[in-house]
Amino acid sequence: MKKVSLLFMSVLLLFVLAACGAKSDQTAGKEVSAKDGEISEDKTSSIDVTDASGESITFENIPESVAALNSGDTDILLALGVNVTGRPTASGPVAKELEDITEIGNPHQPNFEKIAEVHPDVLAAATSFKQHAENIERQGTKVIYTKANSVADIQETILMFGQLFEKEAEAEDMNKTITEKVESIEKDKSEPVKTLLVYGAPGTYLAALPNSLTGDLLEKAGGKNIASDFPQEENYPQYASLSVEKIMERNPEVVMLITHGDPEAVKEAFAKEMEKNAAWKNLDAVKNGNVVVLPSHLFGSNPGTKVVEALEVMKESLAEVK
């Protein structure tokens, strides 16, 4: 009888140990909540994102704060409901939601003192910022790079931010809206309008190429970029020097001006520039009064989620020529 009892106890002990092992396996990768001893999923898994430079960056947790050096990234981050502690410096009035966010300079003149002051977990910047990244990262801020040379670029940025801040569903909804609008406008294309896109400020003018955001929007809206084969500028590959001879030869139906600054001042300065060369007056665009200044907040910089609005403006501007 004693042998039978011992055998029974041994078998029972094996069952208990097996059950404990199974329970341990089930709770692996989970943590016990401080509330009522409930078991919850472990939220400490890292987040890997690939930015516009092609670099893969790992974050141990969801960043608690972010700053951005361009308005488009700021717009996207706010639309996703992220805590933005630093934004680009504005030269004029700003939207109400931006008023309480610290200005940290712009892509060309970042304010390192202000960036250090807001001390974000992440700083979003263009790839041209790489020369400064080491100093920023020494302060404990990770830099991620974005670009906006096309609608697709902006949508990729939206997805990247959605992944980084675990806002994937919101990001997908934003991109769905953009895609539907682009497809709707592209379906409504008619005869292409010959267009010259001029980017600049008084004294400096360049032709925007198809690989620029405005060039991409022009193509999607139904325009024909007459400068599509102009040689790229070495330091600004999305732009080319103006070739008056080729412009006269291709005779654009509309000239669209893009600027960061005062639109009317740029239009006036460009008019004076055209007066220096009588050939400009013979263009159909000039003779018919089709010299258009595009809104600077949509075309002078990355418009973020407002790229849909920029596309609509481009479409309307082309329609007025017809």
Side-chain angles (χ1 to χ4, degrees), residues 30-93:
K30 298 183 180 181
E31 61 181 6
V32 178
S33 168
K35 182 181 178 181
D36 299 327
E38 295 175 352
I39 295 175
S40 59
E41 294 292 336
D42 185 358
K43 298 297 183 181
T44 60
S45 57
S46 60
I47 302 168
D48 296 309
V49 297
T50 301
D51 67 12
S53 72
E55 183 178 351
S56 180
I57 308 168
T58 299
F59 294 82
E60 295 306 318
N61 300 290
I62 302 172
E64 294 183 2
S65 63
V66 60
L69 278 168
N70 73 65
S71 56
D73 289 342
T74 304
D75 171 78
I76 293 168
L77 290 163
L78 289 174
L80 288 172
V82 175
N83 177 31
V84 180
T85 57
R87 64 170 174 84
T89 300
S91 57

Side-chain angles (χ1 to χ4, degrees), residues 146-305:
T146 65
K147 61 181 179 180
N149 296 324
S150 66
V151 174
D153 284 348
I154 291 174
Q155 289 184 297
E156 286 176 12
T157 298
I158 291 171
L159 288 178
M160 180 182 70
F161 285 152
Q163 181 183 1
L164 176 57
F165 295 98
E166 293 196 349
K167 302 276 188 178
E168 288 94 339
E170 294 90 334
E172 288 173 5
D173 284 343
M174 285 183 201
N175 277 345
K176 182 181 178 183
T177 298
I178 293 171
T179 298
E180 288 175 350
K181 188 62 181 180
V182 170
E183 290 176 350
S184 172
I185 286 179
E186 286 187 315
K187 285 179 183 177
D188 194 32
K189 282 183 182 178
S190 54
E191 189 69 23
V193 178
K194 292 189 297 180
T195 307
L196 173 64
L197 299 172
V198 179
Y199 174 82
T204 305
Y205 300 98
L206 298 170
L209 300 174
N211 62 337
S212 66
L213 176 59
T214 308
D216 185 48
L217 291 172
L218 175 66
E219 182 179 333
K220 286 177 167 53
K224 180 181 180 181
N225 192 332
I226 68 157
S228 60
D229 61 347
F230 284 17
Q232 297 176 337
E233 285 282 300
E234 184 177 350
N235 296 325
Y236 305 99
Q238 284 78 44
Y239 301 92
S241 297
L242 293 178
S243 170
V244 177
E245 183 179 337
K246 286 185 178 179
I247 292 170
M248 299 304 119
E249 178 187 314
R250 297 172 187 184
N251 192 21
E253 298 169 81
V254 59
V255 175
M256 295 184 177
L257 299 177
I258 314 154
T259 178
H260 284 296
D262 182 352
E264 289 309 313
V266 171
K267 185 175 182 179
E268 184 179 340
F270 188 66
K272 291 179 180 178
E273 188 75 20
M274 290 190 292
E275 288 174 4
K276 295 177 184 178
N277 190 328
W280 282 98
K281 296 179 182 179
N282 295 321
L283 294 178
D284 285 347
V286 176
K287 288 190 292 186
N288 297 323
N290 291 324
V291 178
V292 180
V293 182
L294 296 171
S296 59
H297 72 288
L298 295 176
F299 294 91
S301 59
N302 172 6
T305 62

Side-chain angles (χ1 to χ4, degrees), residues 60-132:
E60 295 306 318
N61 300 290
I62 302 172
E64 294 183 2
S65 63
V66 60
L69 278 168
N70 73 65
S71 56
D73 289 342
T74 304
D75 171 78
I76 293 168
L77 290 163
L78 289 174
L80 288 172
V82 175
N83 177 31
V84 180
T85 57
R87 64 170 174 84
T89 300
S91 57
V94 297
K96 189 172 182 179
E97 64 267 22
L98 299 175
E99 290 177 352
D100 295 329
I101 302 176
T102 302
E103 294 183 328
I104 59 170
N106 58 54
H108 307 292
Q109 293 180 309
N111 188 326
F112 298 105
E113 184 179 340
K114 287 294 182 182
I115 294 173
E117 183 181 305
V118 299
H119 194 62
D121 291 334
V122 185
L123 175 67
T127 52
S128 58
F129 188 81
K130 277 194 172 185
Q131 58 185 317
H132 308 297

